[in-house]
Amino acid sequence: MTYNKKSIEDINPQGKRVLVRCDFNVPQDENGNITSEKRIVASLPTIKYLLSKGARVILCSHLGRPKGEINPKYSLKPVAECLSKHLGIGVKMAEDVIGSSAKAIAGSLKDGEAMLLENVRFHKEEEKNDPEFARELASLAELYVNDAFGAAHRAHASTAGVAAYLPAVCGYLIQKEISIMGEALNNPKRPFVAILGGAKVSDKLGVINNLLEKVDALIIGGGMAYTFVKAQGGKIGNSLCEEDKLDYARDMIKKAADKGVKLLISSDAVVADKFSADAEKKVTDVGEIPDGWMGLDIGPETVSTFTEAVRGAGTVVWNGPMGVFEFERFAEGTKAIAAAIAESDAISIIGGGDSASAVKKLGFEGRITHISTGGGASLEFLEGLELPGIACLEDK
Ligand code: AMP
């Protein structure tokens, strides 16, 4: 998918009411305190730019899963306080989304002022992308900016529906995601190496299929590798396996060969006698895992093959851990891949989720070209699917 969308720099927001969809879905403790401000901080460049241009900024987001009902537990009030602190201006908090409070505050905003609407998911119409709800939401503003990449794969009212009623452009976060990931997929610096891991083949069917059209080498590690090993006749003991995906794995192995894509599947494994942090462990050939044992990490030979491939890459895309990295003793493989990517000169892109946390936890964040802000959205992007929250924006 190639996107060439207008951004906030292509519009004149001076004096205009601008509805900005952000991803303020922040983690909170049991008292409602925000435990990581990362998503709020990430949204600041777009908000500050709009304020500096004299826009009247109307922010909106979802938070958690209130299932279409008003629930104070999922109120965005703490986010408004956090935003006020970072922006140095009072961000006015509405008591509703499209009700009298939202309308009154939106109507009284002055140039360079900002407000935050309540959680859009307090309305069940949000996730249904109800056109009437989208129209009401849009009626608060004169322009729409989407900057919530993490929600861009969802066709909801605030992420896509409103674009039918307002001129719609992207903010800096979405602009960065689509330019870096779009360039990697469509015009990569070669060799282009993709690394996939994690538990399930079935989550990544489309991704594997699409990446085989694009990459020079595809690396498969983590739990999903065992389905590929078994598909080739290996003995995988009690390791994860999706029996109904064995044919698919064989098809992908054939596709890689037909396309001349180098397919690297783990060759050895760190196996455990139970699924536990303190399990007995040993290293075996990946196709000779004894019954009663399961592969929970890639072995040393695999680490060396995979890191070698990363070292020679021009572009690396990584999604999914190489093992059960939550258990310290089975985290070596994931750490080694993270380190190899951080040390390489390649353009490096990490999908959201577990691989992103691993990279951050190890302190490699600053040495990665791009860590996507959306797990699900980045996977769908790599799959070549159209993201409704981006497709709805105006083309340049
Ligand atoms: P995913 O959400 O598909 O990216 O999978 C992430 C999860 O896969 C993590 O929680 C890992 O613990 C798990 N995982 C990775 N490798 C293995 C493995 N060999 N066996 C079981 N689970 C694994």
Side-chain angles (χ1 to χ4, degrees):
M1 188 56 54
T2 320
Y3 291 114
N4 192 15
K5 295 296 180 183
K6 282 190 187 167
S7 82
I8 43 176
E9 293 185 4
D10 299 311
I11 53 169
N12 177 9
Q14 159 70 40
K16 300 260 173 53
R17 279 173 287 121
V18 186
L19 179 69
V20 187
R21 175 56 155 98
C22 295
D23 179 4
F24 293 144
N25 187 27
V26 290
Q28 289 171 290
D29 66 17
E30 60 282 5
N31 299 318
N33 300 308
I34 296 168
T35 52
S36 166
E37 296 182 355
K38 278 216 167 100
R39 287 185 169 159
I40 296 173
V41 171
S43 71
L44 294 174
T46 293
I47 301 171
K48 283 184 178 165
Y49 175 83
L50 289 168
L51 292 173
S52 76
K53 294 288 170 189
R56 306 171 180 200
V57 175
I58 304 170
L59 301 164
C60 70
S61 174
H62 77 280
L63 174 65
R65 294 170 188 265
K67 304 201 172 114
E69 279 167 26
I70 297 172
N71 182 341
K73 190 176 155 215
Y74 298 107
S75 170
L76 281 164
K77 280 196 189 89
V79 173
E81 285 160 23
C82 181
L83 280 165
S84 301
K85 178 185 79 184
H86 285 290
L87 293 169
I89 58 169
V91 173
K92 297 173 184 150
M93 184 68 213
E95 276 163 29
D96 48 33
V97 185
I98 51 166
S100 54
S101 166
K103 284 178 181 153
I105 302 175
S108 68
L109 278 182
K110 299 197 181 65
D111 298 358
E113 287 185 350
M115 70 176 291
L116 175 60
L117 303 178
E118 252 308 356
N119 192 339
V120 285
R121 289 197 187 163
F122 283 177
H123 291 258
K124 59 181 183 320
E125 294 85 354
E126 160 68 3
E127 290 183 74
K128 289 187 181 148
N129 195 8
D130 177 79
E132 187 49 33
F133 175 70
R135 200 187 55 74
E136 281 270 341
L137 191 58
S139 74
L140 295 171
E142 295 148 281
L143 295 170
Y144 170 66
V145 173
N146 190 5
D147 211 20
F149 183 73
H153 56 316
R154 312 256 185 243
H156 293 171
S158 71
T159 60
V162 286
Y165 306 99
L166 293 171
V169 302
C170 64
Y172 287 128
L173 271 181
I174 285 196
Q175 188 184 40
K176 186 171 173 220
E177 297 273 1
I178 58 181
S179 68
I180 296 183
M181 288 207 284
E183 186 75 5
L185 285 183
N186 299 311
N187 188 23
K189 188 165 167 234
R190 293 191 181 273
F192 180 7
V193 177
I195 309 169
L196 297 178
K200 286 199 188 151
V201 179
S202 47
D203 286 348
K204 300 199 171 91
L205 300 176
V207 179
I208 298 170
N209 196 29
N210 191 44
L211 285 177
L212 282 175
E213 306 280 341
K214 314 268 182 189
V215 299
D216 300 294
L218 179 63
I219 293 178
I220 299 187
M224 63 189 275
Y226 300 101
T227 301
F228 284 80
V229 172
K230 184 158 183 192
Q232 296 174 97
K235 278 182 59 218
I236 58 167
N238 293 30
S239 307
L240 278 187
C241 180
E242 286 169 87
E243 296 289 337
D244 60 337
K245 294 294 172 290
L246 292 171
D247 282 340
Y248 176 84
R250 282 187 278 265
D251 288 350
M252 291 301 110
I253 292 167
K254 178 166 186 308
K255 179 168 176 174
D258 292 348
K259 296 250 163 214
V261 172
K262 200 163 161 189
L263 184 63
L264 299 174
I265 299 169
S266 8
S267 58
D268 60 351
V270 180
V271 298
D273 62 346
K274 56 182 177 200
F275 189 85
S276 163
D278 59 3
E280 184 101 20
K281 68 173 189 177
K282 61 182 181 183
V283 174
T284 71
D285 189 289
V286 79
E288 287 168 24
I289 302 178
D291 285 342
W293 292 74
M294 61 192 86
L296 295 189
D297 197 5
I298 51 175
E301 183 184 274
T302 306
V303 166
S304 120
T305 321
F306 287 5
T307 51
E308 186 67 22
V310 168
R311 236 170 263 134
T315 305
V316 184
V317 170
W318 180 29
N319 191 302
M322 294 292 103
V324 184
F325 75 109
E326 295 92 336
F327 298 159
E328 191 54 40
R329 292 167 62 241
F330 298 95
E332 289 300 311
T334 302
K335 285 185 190 167
I337 295 300
I341 296 174
E343 279 156 20
S344 89
D345 296 326
I347 294 163
S348 48
I349 299 172
I350 315 283
D354 290 326
S355 356
S357 345
V359 162
K360 288 177 193 166
K361 206 170 132 198
L362 295 166
F364 295 140
E365 205 171 347
R367 286 148 75 187
I368 304 293
T369 313
H370 181 63
I371 300 180
S372 177
T373 53
S378 70
L379 266 186
E380 291 199 15
F381 197 99
L382 296 177
E383 212 170 325
L385 297 178
E386 183 173 272
L387 306 188
I390 300 175
C392 69
L393 307 175
E394 288 181 13
D395 288 317
K396 268 205 183 175

